[in-house]
């Protein structure tokens, strides 16, 4: 019988690409999403891309009765927990909303999983859990903590909670995936990143300038101790990231607590990404240098050797693929899913 994976937040940017990957790998997919920062059209397009159906429940991760419905109507093998608020700046302004949604929502999910005897979970974590003052090349053993935002602290608290849960009951299988900087889109151009309001991330800002929605890209600081003065990050294609999840589902066959970085290990500066986008797509991007943002680390990137060794996973797509696929999505969907 095919394994059925529940993806919380599955209608979002990363979640929709994970659904494509899972369906392509032969899994059944059930999605739970409250559509607060996503669109149900993404799920219809996932079905169009894969030629396969998924089940969708519009519900909040804090809704206990929704889990009873989902878990009683579907034989769920394991959960990929993606749902959460994720805007760093907004988290500084609304910390209680972030802790309520991200942490309280995860507690409700775990309680309901336990009640329904489902003890396999992959958690969508983040490189923001690392103490970025302690080094640039981050391994899973690098120091964590000292997060610069409430968003990052919610990821850290959930990781610690999952570790405590495992230590209380070793029958759990828990995989924590620390994402670096996902960009790009499915090669079809049918699904991609569609932020509500002003984008918080670099690539959708670039593509919105390219499509004429925004006048210029603001680059925050060009006086960092990096070769061109702009911040350096580890950008990873969203479909490579999605592939890491299907490999992690196989890891759920083992009981244990596992942590993996998902990144390329080949960092790029903000300016380098802008120039790569221009080169890949034959476009010019209007940009201006703005003051530094509080809390931005000059440089950090992944060491993803552990994922390669234990999950047989590594990123395959380069920065030009990420830029080309991002533009393919945006130019074909200038208003996103709207």
């Amino acid at each position: 019988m095919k394994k059925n994976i529940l993806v919380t937040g599955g209608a979002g940017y990363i979640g929709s690409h994970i659904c494509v990957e899972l369906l392509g790998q032969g899994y059944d997919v059930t999605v739970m999403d409250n559509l607060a920062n996503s669109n149900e059209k993404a799920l219809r397009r996932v079905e169009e891309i894969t030629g396969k159906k998924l089940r969708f429940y519009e519900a909040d991760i804090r809704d206990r009765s929704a889990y009873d419905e989902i878990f009683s109507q579907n034989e769920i093998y394991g959960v990929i927990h993606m749902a959460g608020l994720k805007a760093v700046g907004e988290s500084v302004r609304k910390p209680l909303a972030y802790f309520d949604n991200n942490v309280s929502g995860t507690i409700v999910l775990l309680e309901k999983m336990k009640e329904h005897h489902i003890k396999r979970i992959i958690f969508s974590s983040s490189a923001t859990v690392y103490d970025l003052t302690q080094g640039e090349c981050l391994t899973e053993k690098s120091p964590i903590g000292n997060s610069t935002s409430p968003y990052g602290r919610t990821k850290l608290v959930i990781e610690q909670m999952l570790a405590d849960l495992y230590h209380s009951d070793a029958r759990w299988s828990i995989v924590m995936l620390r994402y670096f900087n996902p960009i790009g889109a499915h090669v079809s151009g049918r699904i991609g990143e569609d932020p509500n309001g002003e984008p918080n991330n670099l690539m959708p800002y670039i593509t919105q300038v390219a499509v004429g929605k925004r006048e210029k890209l603001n680059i925050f600081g060009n006086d960092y101790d990096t070769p061109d003065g702009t911040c350096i990050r580890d950008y990873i294609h969203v479909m490579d990231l999605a592939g890491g999840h299907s490999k992690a589902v196989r890891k759920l066959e083992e009981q244990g607590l596992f942590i993996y970085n998902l990144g390329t290990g080949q960092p790029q500066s903000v300016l380098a990404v802008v120039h790569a986008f221009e080169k890949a797509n034959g476009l010019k991007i209007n940009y201006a240098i703005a003051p530094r943002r509080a809390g931005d680390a000059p440089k950090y990137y992944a060491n993803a050797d552990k994922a390669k060794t234990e999950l047989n996973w590594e990123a395959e797509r380069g920065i030009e693929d990420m830029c080309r696929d991002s533009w393919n999505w945006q130019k074909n969907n200038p208003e996103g899913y709207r």
Side-chain angles (χ1 to χ4, degrees), residues 292-312:
R292 289 185 180 195
R293 285 186 305 198
D296 272 350
K299 179 180 182 179
Y300 64 87
Y301 58 98
N303 176 317
D305 290 350
K306 190 180 175 196
K308 184 176 181 180
T309 303
E310 295 186 17
L311 297 181
N312 191 30

Side-chain angles (χ1 to χ4, degrees), residues 36-37 62 84-103 149-154 196 200:
N37 193 29
R62 294 162 292 188
L85 299 174
K86 64 180 178 64
V88 169
E90 183 185 57
S91 77
V92 175
R93 297 191 303 274
K94 302 177 178 177
L96 295 181
Y98 272 66
F99 278 91
D100 178 42
N101 188 89
N102 296 5
V103 178
S149 71
Y151 161 73
R153 281 187 281 279
T154 66
N196 285 343
N200 294 293

Side-chain angles (χ1 to χ4, degrees), residues 23-326:
L23 289 166
Q25 293 293 327
Y27 295 101
D28 284 332
V29 174
T30 302
V31 170
M32 176 188 195
D33 199 303
N34 68 357
L35 304 179
N37 193 29
S38 56
N39 195 305
E40 193 179 346
K41 282 184 189 167
L43 298 177
R44 304 288 77 86
R45 293 188 184 185
V46 165
E47 293 178 328
E48 173 195 307
I49 289 166
T50 60
K52 295 177 179 176
K53 290 285 181 193
L54 50 75
R55 292 195 80 173
F56 172 54
Y57 293 81
E58 185 177 342
D60 191 283
I61 53 169
R62 294 162 292 188
D63 182 351
R64 292 175 182 274
S65 62
Y67 292 111
D68 292 328
E69 185 181 353
I70 292 167
F71 292 143
S72 61
Q73 292 178 0
N74 305 275
E75 194 174 326
I76 300 296
Y77 172 75
V79 177
I80 294 178
H81 181 33
M82 301 279 311
L85 299 174
K86 64 180 178 64
V88 169
E90 183 185 57
S91 77
V92 175
R93 297 191 303 274
K94 302 177 178 177
L96 295 181
Y98 272 66
F99 278 91
D100 178 42
N101 188 89
N102 296 5
V103 178
S104 302
T106 303
I107 291 171
V108 174
L109 166 64
L110 293 169
E111 285 175 345
K112 283 295 177 182
M113 287 177 68
K114 197 172 169 185
E115 202 178 297
H116 289 269
H117 310 291
I118 299 161
K119 294 190 174 182
R120 301 182 190 93
I121 186 167
I122 296 166
F123 173 56
S124 151
S125 192
S126 163
T128 57
V129 302
Y130 288 114
D131 183 345
L132 300 177
T133 65
Q134 298 297 308
E136 296 175 353
C137 180
L138 302 168
T139 75
E140 290 81 359
K141 288 189 163 67
S142 295
I144 59 173
N146 202 23
S147 295
T148 56
S149 71
Y151 161 73
R153 281 187 281 279
T154 66
K155 292 293 189 184
L156 188 61
V157 168
I158 295 167
E159 278 204 11
Q160 292 168 332
M161 194 163 70
L162 286 166
D164 288 339
L165 177 62
Y166 174 71
H167 294 311
S168 76
D169 180 356
R171 289 170 298 180
W172 279 82
S173 177
I174 298 171
V175 181
M176 302 194 287
L177 299 177
R178 292 174 178 163
Y179 305 171
F180 279 69
N181 293 71
I183 60 175
H186 190 267
V187 70
S188 67
R190 296 296 288 152
I191 57 172
E193 190 166 6
D194 181 25
N196 285 343
E198 189 165 353
N200 294 293
N201 300 325
L202 174 62
M203 187 54 77
Y205 222 111
I206 292 174
T207 60
Q208 288 190 11
V209 171
V211 85
K213 277 187 82 170
R214 298 189 182 276
E215 183 197 346
K216 66 177 187 290
L217 166 72
N218 285 318
I219 294 176
F220 298 105
N222 66 343
D223 56 352
Y224 287 98
D225 184 17
T226 61
D228 63 19
T230 64
C231 287
I232 288 177
R233 296 288 181 267
D234 190 338
Y235 297 96
I236 175 173
H237 197 295
V238 67
M239 284 308 297
D240 280 335
L241 189 75
H245 288 74
S246 64
K247 294 289 178 80
V249 170
R250 294 178 206 166
K251 195 72 180 172
L252 293 179
E253 293 169 12
E254 301 173 38
Q255 291 170 333
L257 177 68
F258 309 101
I259 302 172
Y260 301 102
N261 285 338
L262 296 184
T264 65
Q266 298 175 323
Q268 307 278 342
S269 75
V270 173
L271 265 178
V273 174
V274 172
H275 296 323
F277 185 90
E278 291 177 328
K279 182 183 172 192
N281 300 304
L283 296 165
K284 287 300 287 179
I285 297 299
N286 187 25
Y287 67 85
I289 304 301
R292 289 185 180 195
R293 285 186 305 198
D296 272 350
K299 179 180 182 179
Y300 64 87
Y301 58 98
N303 176 317
D305 290 350
K306 190 180 175 196
K308 184 176 181 180
T309 303
E310 295 186 17
L311 297 181
N312 191 30
W313 172 90
E314 62 182 322
E316 296 172 356
R317 297 161 180 86
I319 190 68
E320 291 207 359
D321 298 313
M322 303 177 209
C323 291
R324 194 166 44 245
D325 292 342
S326 295

